[in-house]
């Protein structure tokens, strides 16, 4: 099937817009790759001796030679994220598999990983977005030892994969392969979890009942099973060809997961400078890969956080994408997956019904993905229409199912859940924003109601508890942007807003902050740019202003007389409380330097983008 004309047009526009930066980036990548075909050859004997002093002799003898690939392991293991806890076992498997394949692997460095579930609604959430950039910097620290010929990146959750990707692309001369751990097995249904939360918010059940319900949902190792940012990350790594095919949603602590992990080391050796398929990630990931990432996000109803992370990742490779690109692609990309919050199913159900191999084959067949892209398996995204299995213990791949195992979860391109991807660019006199409607019922997609303005999500919850919000209203939560307080997710508002919506009130949220990938049923125009602290017009909104949030037309406006609106002063507010507590002291430089949400909210002044 010929490539859809919108994909061609958007891709061509991105290529043209990016040309100068992309050419400069590729020149740097090629120079680095040429300079040190084998990185450690540039080191002195003293450097080298330090680098492998603690290694066993079986590794040392290889590291003294240059013809054997040395793989960097960069891992985000910790016990705080259920999704990352299984990574503890991976380095030993990777080292064994590398050695058996005639290469070596060293644990190059760890990167931090924050759990947005633990910090949701807490002060720690104000470090979350910036932790992405700390992870990118930590990746650079690990790889700065110049000992490596390819890198294996171990990470899963929200900010971790985007941070590792920014780091990997900054070392674009090195081949990269991402190694996931996989989802938790299914617990109680996500809808059931949400129902108990609403009962708790209404005071109808106590903390014991709530904690019991939450523990039945989040009950073991692996990624939380809703289709939020973490699982959207795994989808992206698959559709960008950075995982082994079908690796995204195989559960941890299974024979297949271990086999896939070991095979990742073997493939890492193959794509390294000494291998038969040298694949520097900075060359492999190009404009077509980034368009494929956006298509995958839209076709699966992925997390709104990726309207920033994909922008930031692309910039690390000299590629310039914006929300107009997302919006135009969304108009032609069908929704093929309904996983919570966009449906009742979880990612285990999605995977069992056919998973990523099915989605990629369907989109390729419909001309809705670029097939001619680089991947860790070689040229061509068709490698990723397969799924892994164990044939008497031997890892093999077979074609993804021809038909969906459950068409309430996964549909073919010929019969999608909706003709568009459910992500919309919002614009008007309040600013530019994004809204995801794949989880919003059609009757809730247009809200015109008076504004109730808050500068803190807890103030809105307090008003809810006092019974002051039993009405049609648009909650305007501002001073939540990257420069104000690190742009936290305001997902704690979801139960209260859902209750009011279910009571029949027309409610919507407008914020320069973020929502979780697990949010969704209430219309929310988020990531409003410019943010209030940067003089954005969201800072002009007053209680009682009529606000229109129209997810059909993309209108986000305060229906205020134009002359009055122009004459209004920006509201100022004291934000000094954001500077202290829970480590926020250490992130002031990130807040001061952060870009707008549409520029990916990057906190380091990347020289290529100044
Ligand atoms: O973007 C995301 O996917 C969220 O940040 C997610 O990682 C976070 O854990 C949510 O808070 C989970 O949802 P609950 O808070 O409803 O469990
Ligand atoms: S999906 Fe969210 S809540 Fe679950 S482990 Fe990852 S960051 Fe934490």
């Amino acid at each position: 099937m010929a490539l859809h004309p919108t994909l061609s047009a958007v891709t061509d526009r991105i290529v043209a817009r990016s040309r100068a930066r992309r050419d400069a980036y590729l020149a740097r990548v090629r120079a680095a790759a040429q300079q040190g075909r084998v990185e450690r050859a540039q080191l002195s004997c003293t450097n080298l001796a330090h680098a492998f002093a603690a290694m066993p002799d079986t590794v040392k003898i290889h590291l003294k030679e240059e013809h054997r690939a040395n793989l960097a392991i960069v891992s985000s293991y910790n016990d705080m994220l259920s999704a990352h806890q299984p990574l503890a076992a991976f380095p030993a498997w990777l080292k064994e598999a590398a050695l058996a394949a005639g290469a070596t692997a060293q644990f190059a460095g760890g990167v931090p990983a924050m759990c947005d579930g633990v910090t949701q609604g807490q002060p720690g959430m104000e470090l979350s977005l910036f932790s992405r950039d700390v992870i990118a910097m930590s990746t650079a620290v690990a790889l700065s030892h110049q000992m490596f010929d390819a890198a294996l990146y171990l990470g899963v959750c929200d900010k971790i994969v985007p941070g590792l990707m920014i780091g990997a692309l900054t070392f674009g001369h090195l081949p990269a392969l991402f190694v996931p751990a996989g989802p938790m097995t299914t617990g109680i249904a996500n809808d059931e979890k949400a129902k108990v939360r609403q009962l708790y918010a209404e005071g109808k059940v106590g903390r014991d009942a709530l904690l019991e319900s939450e523990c039945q949902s989040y009950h073991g190792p692996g990624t939380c099973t809703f289709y939020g940012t973490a699982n959207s990350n795994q989808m992206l790594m698959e559709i960008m060809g950075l995982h082994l095919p079908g690796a995204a949603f195989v559960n941890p602590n299974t024979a297949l997961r271990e086999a896939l992990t070991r095979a990742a080391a073997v493939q890492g050796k193959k794509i390294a400078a000494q291998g038969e398929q040298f694949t520097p990630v900075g060359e492999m990931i190009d404009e077509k890969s980034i368009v494929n990432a956006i298509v995958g996000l839209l076709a699966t109803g992925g997390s709104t956080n990726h309207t920033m992370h994909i922008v930031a990742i692309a910039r690390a490779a000299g590629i310039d994408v914006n929300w107009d690109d997302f919006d135009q692609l969304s108009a032609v990309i069908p929704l093929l997956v309904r996983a919570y919050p966009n449906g009742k199913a979880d990612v285990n159900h999605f995977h069992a019904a056919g998973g990523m191999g099915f989605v990629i084959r369907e989109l390729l067949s419909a001309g809705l993905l670029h097939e001619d892209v680089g991947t860790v398996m070689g040229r061509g995204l068709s490698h990723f229409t397969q799924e892994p299995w164990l044939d008497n213990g031997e890892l093999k791949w077979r074609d993804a199912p021809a038909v969906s195992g459950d068409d309430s979860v996964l549909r073919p391109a010929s019969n999608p859940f909706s003709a568009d991807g459910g992500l919309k660019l919002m614009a008007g006199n309040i600013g530019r924003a994004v809204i995801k409607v794949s989880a919003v019922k059609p009757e809730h997609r247009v809200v015109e109601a008076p504004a109730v303005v808050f500068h803190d999500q807890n103030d809105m919850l307090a008003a809810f508890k006092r019974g002051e919000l039993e009405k049609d209203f648009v909650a305007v939560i501002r001073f939540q942007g990257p420069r104000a307080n690190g742009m936290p997710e305001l997902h704690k508002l979801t139960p209260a807003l859902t209750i009011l919506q279910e009571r029949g009130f027309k409610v919507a949220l407008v914020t320069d902050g973020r929502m979780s990938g697990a949010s969704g049923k209430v219309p929310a125009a988020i990531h409003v740019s410019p943010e209030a602290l940067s003089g954005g017009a969201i800072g002009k909104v007053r209680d009682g202003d009529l606000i229109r949030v129209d997810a059909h037309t993309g209108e986000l406006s305060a229906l205020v007389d134009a002359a009055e609106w122009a004459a209004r002063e920006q509201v100022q507010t004291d934000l000094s409380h954001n500077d202290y507590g829970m480590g926020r002291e250490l992130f002031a430089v990130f807040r001061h330097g952060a870009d707008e949400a549409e520029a990916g909210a990057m906190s380091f002044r990347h020289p290529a983008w100044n």
Side-chain angles (χ1 to χ4, degrees):
M1 169 77 84
L3 195 65
H4 192 288
T6 300
L7 250 77
S8 302
V10 171
T11 306
D12 293 347
R13 195 174 62 226
I14 293 170
V15 169
R17 185 189 313 139
S18 308
R19 189 171 310 287
R21 289 193 173 103
R22 178 71 178 164
D23 289 350
Y25 171 80
L26 288 173
R28 291 196 296 272
V29 164
R30 287 163 188 159
Q34 283 318 312
Q35 188 182 350
R37 191 88 173 135
V38 176
E39 278 239 303
R40 61 183 181 279
Q42 303 165 67
L43 298 182
S44 72
C45 292
T46 307
N47 302 145
L48 278 171
H50 281 291
F52 49 67
M55 294 294 100
D57 289 342
T58 49
V59 173
K60 271 183 189 166
I61 54 169
H62 291 334
L63 287 175
K64 287 174 183 170
E65 302 158 353
E66 292 174 11
H67 66 278
R68 289 181 187 267
N70 187 35
L71 309 181
I73 298 169
V74 181
S75 174
S76 57
Y77 161 74
N78 68 38
D79 285 338
M80 294 320 301
L81 290 83
S82 56
H84 290 204
Q85 187 272 348
L87 297 175
F90 284 31
W93 295 341
L94 292 167
K95 290 178 180 179
E96 280 170 17
L99 214 49
T104 52
Q106 287 186 286
F107 193 99
V111 299
M114 172 185 277
C115 178
D116 283 1
V118 178
T119 58
Q120 195 65 245
Q122 305 298 335
M125 173 58 79
E126 295 184 14
L127 275 55
S128 171
L129 182 59
F130 295 143
S131 72
R132 175 194 70 190
D133 300 351
V134 173
I135 288 159
M137 294 168 177
S138 306
T139 301
V141 170
L143 298 178
S144 65
H145 292 99
Q146 260 186 286
M147 280 292 294
F148 311 110
D149 307 296
L152 303 172
Y153 298 97
L154 280 53
V156 175
C157 285
D158 297 30
K159 313 309 176 283
I160 294 92
V161 168
L164 289 170
M165 270 298 282
I166 293 167
L169 289 166
T170 304
F171 283 74
H173 60 289
L174 286 184
L177 201 151
F178 279 69
V179 187
M184 198 182 291
T185 53
T186 298
I188 62 166
N190 282 293
D191 262 349
E192 174 59 27
K193 172 194 71 180
K195 193 55 71 195
V196 177
R197 288 180 178 180
Q198 286 171 221
L199 291 172
Y200 179 73
E202 294 174 295
K204 294 175 179 170
V205 298
R207 274 182 68 86
D208 292 352
L210 179 64
L211 184 59
E212 179 54 28
S213 166
E214 297 291 332
C215 290
Q216 287 177 16
S217 175
Y218 307 128
H219 60 85
T223 317
C224 306
T225 60
F226 51 80
Y227 192 55
T229 307
N231 285 313
S232 299
N233 287 339
Q234 308 318 300
M235 175 281 300
L236 291 181
M237 293 299 101
E238 198 86 31
I239 211 160
M240 293 172 84
L242 282 156
H243 271 168
L244 294 185
F249 300 120
V250 170
N251 299 120
N253 304 321
T254 58
L256 183 54
R257 174 53 67 197
E258 179 173 346
L260 282 164
T261 303
R262 290 175 179 275
V266 178
Q267 195 64 21
K269 179 208 174 210
K270 197 178 286 185
I271 61 176
Q274 299 88 336
E276 57 267 33
Q277 189 192 307
F278 181 45
T279 312
V281 69
E283 303 255 18
M284 183 183 115
I285 298 299
D286 62 12
E287 294 86 349
K288 292 187 286 186
S289 312
I290 297 297
V291 167
N292 282 354
I294 298 171
V295 168
L297 184 76
L298 297 166
T300 58
S303 168
T304 49
N305 279 306
H306 278 295
T307 62
M308 295 194 299
H309 295 326
I310 290 175
V311 174
I313 290 167
R315 284 184 164 217
I319 298 169
D320 188 356
V321 294
N322 59 41
W323 289 346
D324 294 302
D325 302 327
F326 283 79
D327 190 57
Q328 285 172 31
L329 288 168
S330 185
V332 300
I333 300 300
L335 184 70
L336 304 185
V337 182
R338 278 211 172 281
Y340 191 84
N342 309 315
K344 294 186 180 307
D346 71 10
V347 288
N348 291 313
H349 301 145
F350 162 59
H351 183 63
M356 283 306 299
F358 179 96
V359 168
I360 290 170
R361 192 209 45 247
E362 284 299 313
L363 292 169
L364 282 172
S365 309
L368 294 171
L369 278 174
H370 289 285
E371 202 286 332
D372 178 26
V373 288
T375 81
V376 297
M377 304 305 289
R379 197 114 199 114
L381 194 58
S382 302
H383 287 94
F384 288 76
T385 59
Q386 304 244 299
E387 62 179 19
W389 65 297
L390 288 179
D391 180 1
N392 292 318
E394 186 190 352
L395 179 61
K396 290 185 178 174
W397 274 266
R398 60 192 173 201
D399 288 345
V403 295
S404 166
D406 181 344
D407 65 12
S408 73
V409 181
L410 178 62
R411 292 260 182 98
S414 57
N415 176 31
F417 290 106
S418 70
D420 69 67
L423 198 67
K424 190 99 187 114
L425 168 65
M426 305 290 281
N429 63 2
I430 293 179
R432 281 165 69 96
V434 296
I435 191 167
K436 183 173 101 170
V437 294
S438 39
V440 179
K441 287 180 183 160
E443 62 268 30
H444 296 146
R445 294 182 183 180
V446 179
V447 173
E448 188 171 299
V452 182
V453 182
F454 300 96
H455 291 178
D456 185 312
Q457 62 177 327
N458 294 311
D459 293 344
M460 196 211 94
L461 290 174
F464 169 73
K465 288 197 172 75
R466 292 193 300 269
E468 296 167 5
L469 298 179
E470 304 290 322
K471 58 188 177 181
D472 295 353
F473 76 104
V474 173
V476 177
I477 320 278
R478 63 188 176 199
F479 295 104
Q480 304 299 315
R483 294 184 58 238
N485 65 350
M487 200 177 188
E489 291 182 355
L490 307 177
H491 180 56
K492 193 175 163 187
L493 301 176
T494 299
L497 289 171
T498 308
I499 288 165
L500 293 166
Q501 183 184 69
E502 288 179 353
R503 286 179 184 164
F505 298 111
K506 292 186 83 60
V507 294
L509 169 67
V510 172
T511 180
D512 49 6
R514 293 185 295 131
M515 287 303 270
S516 150
S519 315
K521 294 180 178 145
V522 174
I526 60 176
H527 308 172
V528 172
S529 296
E531 65 175 289
L533 187 62
S534 299
I538 190 173
K540 291 184 176 184
V541 176
R542 292 176 185 164
D543 282 338
D545 285 349
L546 206 52
I547 306 292
R548 183 170 179 80
V549 179
D550 184 333
H552 297 310
T553 63
E555 183 181 6
L556 173 61
S557 293
L559 305 183
V560 172
D561 170 72
E564 183 201 334
W565 186 253
R568 276 196 187 170
E569 294 292 314
Q570 288 293 101
V571 165
Q572 303 302 324
T573 188
D574 173 17
L575 295 177
S576 58
H577 60 285
N578 294 340
D579 292 339
Y580 299 93
M582 212 52 68
R584 285 175 288 192
E585 297 85 337
L586 304 178
F587 283 76
V589 70
F590 286 74
R591 287 191 294 278
H592 298 158
D595 279 333
E596 286 296 341
E598 186 166 2
M602 295 171 99
S603 55
F604 28 69
R605 279 279 172 234
H606 195 297
W609 293 89
N610 272 336

